[in-house]
Amino acid sequence: MSSWKQLSRLVDGLSLVAKEIYHQSPELQRARNGDLEALGKKALVAATDLVGLTSGKLRNLSNRRSKEPSVVFFDDKDDDGSSKADDVSVPITPEVVAKPTIVDSKIVSSESIEEVRVVDRDGETKVGVRAEVASTPLEVATVKRRRHRERKVPSTPMARAYGFFNLGAGLAWGAVKESTYRLVNGTPPTQGNKPALSSILSEENAERLALGLCEMRGAALKVGQMLSIQDESLVPAPILNALELVRQGADVMPRSQLNPVLDAELGPNWQSKLASFDYEPLAAASIGQVHRAVTKDGLEVAMKIQYPGVANSIESDIENVRRLLNYTNLIPKGLFLDRAVKVAKEELARECDYEIEAVSQKHFRDLLSDTPGFYVPRVIDELSSKKILTTELISGVPIDKVASLDQETRDYVGRKMLELTLKELFVFRFMQTDPNWGNFLYDEPTKTINLIDFGAARDYPKKFVDDYLRMVMACANKDSKGVIEMSRRLGFLTGDEPDVMLDAHVQAGFIVGLPFAEPGGYAFRTNNITSSVSNLGATMLKHRLTPPPDEAYSLHRKLSGAFLACIKLGATVRCRDLLLQVYEKYQFDDEPQVMASSSVSS
């Protein structure tokens, strides 16, 4: 019965989205006045898309990519002042979803999937897996990855509303099929006698959700990418497996949408500033996609180009999701969804302004200029705007792929990640809060972590940081009174919570403080922090009286990302030493360091 109840809730939520579509749809308004032709076409596309016969287009049933050449080389200007372009490369399989590495002039490596593109002397491009850097480059083997589809970004409110409706209807249809299967064949067994997942969360629906998010892009995909880096104790394994597709990247924006953005942002003669431009994206993310280019002076750059319509759709995207979740009661009351939605809108609006991101990246470059082990690429101002951000191209593998390297390297990268996180908050009070593993690229030859994507960077008030550092030390020292006092000052508690809530809150703080509690190395993989905290989650959700402060949403996202990275790496890190190095030099603005003596003596 629970499956049918959940399905009923989902259908109720979809009715809300349908009402929103009706009010925004010019086709439905015209149909109301007697013009049914346009409505019929839209309904036909939506129906066939739902059952998988089409991809939402009448003209094309194929996902094959353009046969046009990928890399375009720009010659000097002609007599009429226009820029000549020569398409000389061969299109390649669209497997690339991560930041590139230039191994030499003939190899471009997408190291997040250990993939190599090899261009031979005849100009033929081959795709394969790299065995070793600096080994024979033509020794490649095929690799199977999700083929990224070339699809237009739904850029109008109407197109995005239809996209969400089709996705929701597809999930409802999948839930019906799964519920029917379970009624006939029984509920499938689960590992470890765990309760079966809802029929809505079937593996088929999880993949349908992931692919739908990849097509929608924007705020919807951003949420999926954040979920993809969580632990299995927080997100069910089938959902995580499907969301791996989300982390690989979004669908690819076609040239018909890409070129108008370049023209509008950099001018119609933008080609005159480049020696070459690769239309095959290096990465396709939630808000934009990244392309490799070479400037006239030979500098290899990465150009991040924003999807059209994404910035204007943040409000409607998140509001549709919020209404659906609220109406169906799929989100517990203790999560205070309205506050989370408010913060998400503000953060995503900033992320869509690449001029703000450029300023943040330059600031980070200055802050880390004297810190060994980190590098921030420089911004190329003449090729940047509000919707295009160009930086120098850097190399490395996303940190989750460091897990395949030796233990010494994994420990080093884990230590540097925690060192950076503590410095960002307690020294700089300026933090890049997006913990996506692809934003941290480890370059093994130089032992450097290259940092990219500063759209989610923000600063924190000094008073907030003062009290937060005191709370971290209280958690590390198992000081219950200190944890409660600082939590009230920060706004995590009101002072009216029942004892059961206070106890759960304190115990959760102690668990998170475990890595900083004892001297010596802390082995992240053998201590499942996320599982221990999630066991207390139900109590805190039930008895929580207030949402966390706004600063906590981005901060805790980054802190949990740093911990999850260390767990993924299996790193052993002397965390307490790193914390004390920061604490002993910290200057508080208001009152004495009430916990200093106990901290240092430990």
Side-chain angles (χ1 to χ4, degrees), residues 38-337:
L39 178 62
K41 290 181 178 178
K42 286 287 187 178
L44 176 61
V45 172
T48 53
D49 189 29
L50 175 60
V51 297
L53 295 179
T54 72
S55 303
K57 299 178 182 179
L58 289 172
R59 62 178 179 83
N60 190 3
L61 297 178
S62 173
N63 286 329
R64 290 179 296 175
R65 299 289 298 281
S66 170
K67 294 183 179 180
E68 295 181 84
S70 168
V71 181
V72 177
F73 291 84
F74 304 113
D75 291 338
D76 293 333
K77 291 183 178 180
D78 287 334
D79 295 338
D80 61 0
S82 62
S83 180
K84 292 170 59 180
D86 292 326
D87 296 343
V88 298
S89 68
V90 178
I92 62 172
T93 305
E95 307 274 3
V96 177
V97 296
K99 314 323 185 258
T101 297
I102 306 304
V103 180
D104 57 37
S105 61
K106 293 296 182 182
I107 304 177
V108 181
S109 167
S110 172
E111 299 203 44
S112 71
I113 55 176
E114 298 299 311
E115 178 188 281
V116 174
R117 297 189 216 165
V118 180
V119 184
D120 63 22
R121 294 182 180 179
D122 296 324
E124 182 179 358
T125 305
K126 300 178 181 180
V127 180
V129 178
R130 184 183 61 176
E132 295 179 358
V133 175
S135 65
T136 54
L138 289 177
E139 295 176 0
V140 296
T142 58
V143 59
K144 290 185 178 180
R145 303 292 286 178
R146 179 176 77 88
R147 175 167 295 193
H148 290 266
R149 306 167 296 183
E150 185 177 272
R151 294 191 174 188
K152 292 186 68 175
V153 182
S155 57
T156 66
M158 189 62 248
R160 298 195 69 79
Y162 271 121
F164 278 114
F165 180 77
N166 285 340
L167 175 58
L171 294 175
W173 175 245
V176 169
K177 291 198 298 183
E178 181 67 18
S179 297
T180 303
Y181 175 86
R182 293 183 183 185
L183 286 172
V184 175
N185 301 289
T187 302
T190 59
Q191 293 183 347
N193 295 321
K194 294 181 180 179
L197 294 175
S198 162
S199 58
I200 297 176
L201 301 179
S202 65
E203 291 188 17
E204 181 181 340
N205 256 0
E207 185 170 348
R208 181 180 285 111
L209 172 64
L211 294 176
L213 294 178
C214 287
E215 181 176 356
M216 292 299 296
R217 284 153 279 194
L221 180 58
K222 192 74 174 180
V223 173
Q225 289 177 334
M226 292 307 305
L227 289 174
S228 73
I229 67 169
Q230 300 304 314
D231 187 77
E232 283 189 18
S233 61
L234 300 178
V235 179
I239 304 298
L240 277 183
N241 293 337
L243 288 176
E244 175 63 22
L245 300 177
V246 171
R247 202 165 69 80
Q248 290 176 22
D251 288 345
V252 175
M253 175 170 53
R255 296 191 191 193
S256 59
Q257 282 190 313
L258 181 64
N259 283 328
V261 177
L262 287 164
D263 290 342
E265 295 298 312
L266 301 180
N269 293 324
W270 58 269
Q271 300 97 329
S272 64
K273 303 174 183 179
L274 299 174
S276 67
F277 180 85
D278 192 346
Y279 277 96
E280 186 71 31
L282 298 167
S286 58
I287 296 174
Q289 59 191 45
V290 182
H291 291 259
R292 178 180 178 271
V294 179
T295 63
K296 287 295 187 183
D297 58 3
L299 177 66
E300 290 176 316
V301 296
M303 299 181 66
K304 182 162 67 170
I305 303 167
Q306 190 173 124
Y307 301 127
V310 164
N312 297 329
S313 69
I314 292 173
E315 184 85 15
S316 60
D317 277 10
I318 295 182
E319 277 302 313
N320 280 332
V321 173
R322 182 190 67 80
R323 289 192 191 102
L324 181 62
L325 294 177
N326 258 341
Y327 196 78
T328 54
N329 293 320
L330 293 176
I331 295 295
K333 181 180 178 181
L335 281 182
F336 292 93
L337 183 62

